[in-house]
Amino acid sequence: MVRKYSIKELLNKGTLFINKKVLVEGWIRSFRYSIFIILNDGSTIKNIQIILPKKLDKRIIKKITIGSSIRVIGIVKKSIGTKQYIELQSLDITIYESVDSKIIQKSILQPKKHSLKKLREQAHLRFRTNIFGCIMRIRHNIAFCIHKYFHENGFFYLHTPIITTSNCEGTGKMFQITTMDLKKEPIDYEKDFFKCKTYLSVSGQLEAESASLGLGKVYTFGPVFRAENSNTSRHLSEFWMIEPEIAFYHLEENINLAETFLKFIIRYIIENSMEDLVFLNQCLDNKGNQKKKNFLLEKLELILKFSFKKISYTEVIKLLDQEEKKKNIKFLHPIIWGMDLQSEHEQYLVDKYFKIPVIVFDYPCNIKAFYMRMNNDGKTVRAMDILFPGIGEILGGSQREERYDILLQRMKDTNTDKNKLWWYLDTRRFGSVPHSGFGLGFDRLVQFITGMNNIRDVIPFPRTPNNAEF
C-alpha cells in the first residue's frame, strides 16, 4: 500500500523520499504545457510540481483545470529545475472533481493578484489563496502557543458563558437574545426563555474572577460580541478574547505576566511560522507603499529586543502636553488630565517618542470600569494598557477591586446594577484576596503579527455591521 503524505512533509524531508513511491492529494494551482501541475494541499505555502506522463489520455488532460482536486501516486525525483528541490513523476492520477474553466475566470482562484476586498467577497474560497492560507496557519500557531503557555505555567482553561444578563464593562451596546416578539408591548420577560433579559457576552472576565478565587490561575479563550456600529479596520462585532485571571496578583505582577506572555507568543511564531511570515513580508506593503526588506520580521523582533517602557497615565499627559508645546504638534483631541487616550496619542507614544512597546498604568477612575482597584489617591485605579507599534492598544488589564465596600461604592458611582451582579459582589465576602487579570483581543494580535491593515482579513468569516454572510 502506498503511503499518503502532506506536501509539507514531502518538501521538508525531500532527500528521504527520493526514488520512493508516495501518494499526495490537493488542488491544482496551475497547469502548464499539458504536463506540469503545480499542486497545493494547504499544509504549507509551498507547492509541489507534478510531472505527468507524456502519453496521458486526452480526456483526462481536459479535466485537469485550475482549482480541480486530484489524487496522485508517483515517484519522488530530484528536480532539474531551480524553483524546487524535488518533484513527483506521476504514475497514476485520479481527478476528484474538475472545475469548469469559465467558473474559475470569475473566482479568486484565478492565478492573478486580487485585492483583499475581493477576497472578502468570496470568503468561502479565500482559504485556497496563498495570503489567506498563510494567515490561517499563523492564526492556528498563535492559538496553540497561547494554550501551551498557560498550560505550562499552571493555568486552568475555563469556559465562561456566552449568554449573560450584564455588561461587564458597563458601556457599549450588546446583542440581545430573546424568543419573544419585541414588537409586542408591554414585554414580559418572565415569559422569555431565560425569564429575564439576556445578551451575548462582551467578556468572560467576571466569571473568570470568581473561578480564580478558588483555582488560583485561570484563563478564558472564546468568542465575545459587541453591537457598536463601528466600521473601522480594527473592530469586529464577533471576535475572540483571551482573559487570564490570577489570585494573589498585584498590578506589577500582572504587568510582568502580560509582557512575558506577549513575548512568548512572538518568539514562538518567529520560530514556527517563518515560511508564512517571509511570504507575508514579501507581498505586503510597508507604510507609504515603500517596500522594506524585512519590515514585518523587524517589527516582531523589536517586541523581543527591549523591555517595554512603563509610564503612568499622569506622566503621559505631561509628556504629550510638553511635546505639543515644544514641537508645535497639534493633536486632534486636546490633552487634558482625565481624558481617555485616543489612537493618535497612543501611536505618538509608541511610534514616534519611545519607539518601543509602552505600558501605561494608573488611569483616572472616571474613564475605567467599576471593577478596577482604587488607588489611595482616590482619583486613579490600578489599570494598565499595553501599546504596540502601528496598532496602539493591544492588551488591557487591571488589579481588581477586592474590597467589598469600595467595590459596592464604585458600582453605585458607575450606575452598575448590583442586583444583577449580586454573585460578583458576594465573592468579596468569602475570603477575598488581591487579584488581577487582563484581556487580549486575539484577532487584533493576529492582525499585528501578520501585518494586515484590516482585521477582517485575519478571521475566517468576519462579522461586522451590515455583514453576516457565509
Side-chain angles (χ1 to χ4, degrees):
M1 185 176 178
V2 182
R3 184 175 170 184
K4 180 167 71 174
Y5 292 93
S6 71
I7 291 174
K8 183 177 182 179
E9 286 178 297
L10 284 180
L11 296 179
N12 283 354
K13 301 176 182 178
T15 54
L16 299 177
F17 292 105
I18 289 176
N19 295 325
K20 290 187 177 180
K21 186 188 287 188
V22 299
L23 185 157
V24 294
E25 295 165 313
W27 296 272
I28 297 172
R29 287 285 174 87
S30 72
F31 184 38
R32 297 178 295 118
Y33 310 121
S34 298
I35 192 169
F36 299 112
I37 291 176
I38 301 301
L39 197 69
N40 188 280
D41 64 358
S43 63
T44 173
I45 185 63
K46 295 179 180 178
N47 306 308
I48 193 165
Q49 180 167 270
I50 311 294
I51 313 296
L52 296 178
K54 290 181 180 179
K55 294 180 180 179
L56 188 65
D57 192 320
K58 290 182 179 179
R59 290 173 297 179
I60 294 177
I61 290 176
K62 282 184 179 180
K63 293 181 179 180
I64 299 175
T65 56
I66 292 168
S68 297
S69 51
I70 64 173
R71 170 183 182 270
V72 180
I73 295 174
I75 305 294
V76 177
K77 293 291 183 180
K78 188 173 180 180
S79 178
I80 59 173
T82 56
K83 291 186 178 180
Q84 60 277 326
Y85 182 72
I86 60 168
E87 57 194 18
L88 194 65
Q89 288 188 353
S90 172
L91 300 174
D92 180 74
I93 181 169
T94 302
I95 298 171
Y96 288 127
E97 184 169 352
S98 180
V99 178
D100 190 324
S101 298
K102 293 178 182 177
I103 296 175
I104 284 292
Q105 300 277 335
K106 298 177 182 178
S107 81
I108 58 174
L109 300 182
Q110 186 182 4
K112 70 173 188 178
K113 190 171 183 179
H114 301 279
S115 70
L116 293 170
K117 183 177 182 293
K118 182 71 174 177
L119 297 190
R120 265 175 251 137
E121 291 169 359
Q122 297 182 30
H124 60 304
L125 298 177
R126 64 177 178 168
F127 297 96
R128 302 259 293 274
T129 65
N130 281 333
I131 191 166
F132 203 68
C134 282
I135 293 164
M136 287 299 103
R137 285 188 290 270
I138 290 172
R139 185 181 173 102
H140 159 79
N141 279 339
I142 297 171
F144 176 81
C145 78
I146 285 169
H147 287 297
K148 176 180 170 69
Y149 177 86
F150 285 128
H151 177 72
E152 291 176 355
N153 286 276
F155 285 75
F156 298 105
Y157 181 29
L158 188 72
H159 297 121
T160 52
I162 289 174
I163 299 171
T164 184
T165 59
S166 62
N167 186 339
C168 171
E169 299 297 326
T171 58
K173 294 183 179 179
M174 303 172 72
F175 291 105
Q176 187 176 348
I177 297 173
T178 183
T179 56
M180 301 181 69
D181 184 354
L182 297 180
K183 293 178 182 177
K184 293 181 180 180
E185 294 186 356
I187 300 168
D188 183 2
Y189 284 104
E190 278 292 319
K191 297 177 181 178
D192 206 352
F193 189 87
F194 293 106
K195 293 189 179 296
C196 61
K197 206 170 183 179
T198 53
Y199 308 88
L200 290 177
S201 176
V202 300
S203 170
Q205 179 202 309
L206 302 187
E207 292 86 354
E209 277 190 62
S210 65
S212 73
L213 295 176
L215 294 170
K217 294 179 176 181
V218 301
Y219 74 103
T220 74
F221 190 169
V224 292
F225 309 85
R226 293 192 182 170
E228 279 85 9
N229 189 16
S230 178
N231 276 293
T232 76
S233 61
R234 296 171 58 195
H235 292 90
L236 293 164
S237 301
E238 174 188 273
F239 53 102
W240 287 68
M241 284 285 288
I242 302 107
E243 297 177 294
E245 290 292 330
I246 315 99
F248 306 102
Y249 252 47
H250 295 81
L251 182 66
E252 295 76 16
E253 295 167 294
N254 195 34
I255 287 173
N256 292 336
L257 171 70
E259 180 174 349
T260 303
F261 175 56
L262 287 168
K263 287 183 174 181
F264 178 89
I265 296 170
I266 301 295
R267 189 176 295 107
Y268 184 91
I269 295 305
I270 289 174
E271 292 172 357
N272 292 275
S273 296
M274 185 55 75
E275 277 185 2
D276 290 319
L277 288 174
V278 168
F279 177 84
L280 289 175
N281 192 89
Q282 290 170 348
C283 68
L284 295 177
D285 286 341
N286 198 4
K287 289 182 180 177
N289 293 320
Q290 295 289 323
K291 287 202 172 180
K292 190 177 177 182
K293 189 174 180 182
N294 292 308
F295 81 93
L296 185 56
L297 296 174
E298 287 175 9
K299 180 184 75 170
L300 297 179
E301 287 166 354
L302 178 70
I303 306 301
L304 303 178
K305 192 173 182 181
F306 302 100
S307 296
F308 297 177
K309 172 65 181 177
K310 300 177 181 69
I311 182 171
S312 73
Y313 170 90
T314 300
E315 290 175 307
V316 164
I317 294 299
K318 288 179 183 176
L319 185 154
L320 292 174
D321 184 52
Q322 289 170 0
E323 288 294 291
E324 200 170 37
K325 290 172 181 173
K326 277 194 321 184
K327 298 184 179 177
N328 201 26
I329 299 165
K330 193 66 181 173
F331 293 112
L332 291 175
H333 299 85
I335 307 300
I336 303 168
W337 195 97
M339 63 173 285
D340 203 355
L341 294 179
Q342 302 298 313
S343 179
E344 60 174 333
H345 307 133
E346 294 174 347
Q347 291 184 0
Y348 183 84
L349 287 172
V350 181
D351 298 331
K352 295 184 179 178
Y353 193 85
F354 292 113
K355 298 182 179 179
I356 57 172
V358 175
I359 301 174
V360 182
F361 62 93
D362 284 357
Y363 281 84
C365 61
N366 64 316
I367 61 171
K368 289 297 182 180
F370 72 92
Y371 53 74
M372 298 184 179
R373 194 182 200 276
M374 186 70 75
N375 281 316
N376 294 333
D377 60 14
K379 297 189 300 180
T380 61
V381 288
R382 306 238 71 196
M384 63 93 171
D385 288 332
I386 297 184
L387 315 178
F388 264 18
I391 203 166
E393 183 191 335
I394 192 85
L395 177 153
S398 69
Q399 183 173 333
R400 318 310 191 187
E401 183 55 79
E402 82 279 12
R403 298 164 294 185
Y404 180 91
D405 292 340
I406 296 176
L407 179 59
L408 180 60
Q409 186 58 50
R410 283 284 289 150
M411 293 176 80
K412 290 177 181 176
D413 294 342
T414 55
N415 295 316
T416 302
D417 190 344
K418 66 177 184 178
N419 294 319
K420 286 183 180 178
L421 292 177
W422 64 269
W423 58 271
Y424 182 72
L425 265 172
D426 207 37
T427 59
R428 273 53 177 181
R429 301 194 303 127
F430 290 88
S432 182
V433 300
H435 59 288
S436 300
F438 57 79
L440 171 63
F442 179 67
D443 307 284
R444 193 171 289 185
L445 177 64
V446 178
Q447 186 184 3
F448 172 79
I449 289 174
T450 58
M452 302 303 291
N453 289 323
N454 197 317
I455 201 167
R456 293 170 174 86
D457 297 321
V458 302
I459 190 168
F461 299 105
R463 296 292 182 254
T464 54
N466 305 315
N467 179 48
E469 279 192 287
F470 310 105

